Amino acid sequence: MADPFQEAAEAAVLLVEQVTDFDRAAIGSWSIGGLVGHMTRALLTPAAYMAEPAPGAVDLQDAAAYIAAYLQRRHQDPGLDAAVAARGTAAAATDAGAIKRAHADLLVALDAVPAGRIVATPFGSIRLEDYLRTRTMELVVHSLDLANAIDVEWEPPASALRDVLSLLGEIAMATGRGSQVVLALSGRTVLEGPVVQ
């Protein structure tokens, strides 16, 4: 069975290899290099969390709970978005080297991790497999952003896309917006604001 995270990561690396100009504007305040830097962090943070001691218990029961905790913190801290943007800019790529290295290093770390591993994050402890679902979403969404910025046709791997669509539904439920999403997707209303941004 395909692993959505690993397929999303591999596809993201291959997409970055198509970039010829890392200085062009991409999305928001990011250049293409800044966007790739942010995408690279989706591979660096799991490895960094795995390098730390495992917490004894889980605070966040699933990926949707993680995103809901993030959105709550974001609501409380208006500076969170700027901090995320700044980290992407600070890690701005000038070629595909950094994301390729991060991908290779993460594969090695994942091969060595025991089943059921729990990791600590700024929003609470979570099972690694659930945290990786949030990184799959990051990689798929930002790979789509990147494909748009470099004007290439790109389709996420089916397993990753399916998992992201499922997670978005779970997030809608966790944040009390399930009915709104159903009505919007069935063409009855227009969704006001994103489920997650």
Side-chain angles (χ1 to χ4, degrees), residues 36-57:
V36 172
H38 180 71
M39 292 167 64
T40 302
R41 287 182 52 78
L43 304 176
L44 293 171
T45 53
Y49 294 161
M50 282 188 284
E52 296 297 322

Side-chain angles (χ1 to χ4, degrees), residues 22-24 26-45 70 79-95 98-99 135 138 142:
F22 286 80
D23 293 325
R24 278 175 48 192
I27 184 172
S29 63
W30 281 326
S31 65
I32 288 174
L35 175 58
V36 172
H38 180 71
M39 292 167 64
T40 302
R41 287 182 52 78
L43 304 176
L44 293 171
T45 53
Y70 167 79
L80 186 59
D81 282 349
V84 169
R87 286 194 292 271
T89 299
T94 56
D95 57 34
I99 197 167
R135 300 309 88 190
E138 281 281 298
H142 289 307

Side-chain angles (χ1 to χ4, degrees), residues 67-161:
I67 298 296
Y70 167 79
L71 293 173
Q72 183 177 17
R73 177 80 60 85
R74 193 172 172 220
H75 179 72
Q76 296 166 346
D77 179 6
L80 186 59
D81 282 349
V84 169
R87 286 194 292 271
T89 299
T94 56
D95 57 34
I99 197 167
K100 289 170 74 173
R101 288 189 297 274
H103 181 232
D105 290 347
L106 181 57
L107 289 181
V108 171
L110 287 172
D111 280 344
V113 75
R117 174 70 152 89
I118 301 171
V119 294
T121 80
F123 308 103
S125 59
I126 186 172
R127 284 179 293 271
L128 177 63
E129 63 193 66
D130 291 325
Y131 178 68
L132 290 179
R133 289 189 72 204
T134 73
R135 300 309 88 190
T136 301
M137 185 170 72
E138 281 281 298
L139 287 168
V140 166
V141 170
H142 289 307
S143 291
L144 288 165
D145 290 335
L146 178 59
N148 183 59
I150 64 175
D151 196 26
V152 300
E153 290 188 15
W154 184 82
E155 184 69 14
S159 65
L161 185 58

Side-chain angles (χ1 to χ4, degrees), residues 4-5 60-71 126 128-141 158-178 181 185 194-197:
F5 173 76
L60 303 168
Q61 293 302 314
D62 53 29
Y66 175 92
I67 298 296
Y70 167 79
L71 293 173
I126 186 172
L128 177 63
E129 63 193 66
D130 291 325
Y131 178 68
L132 290 179
R133 289 189 72 204
T134 73
R135 300 309 88 190
T136 301
M137 185 170 72
E138 281 281 298
L139 287 168
V140 166
V141 170
S159 65
L161 185 58
R162 187 178 300 111
D163 193 52
V164 171
L165 287 167
S166 176
L167 179 53
L168 286 169
E170 293 165 31
I171 294 165
M173 290 296 294
T175 56
R177 302 189 66 194
V181 170
L185 290 178
V195 174
V196 63
Q197 187 174 17

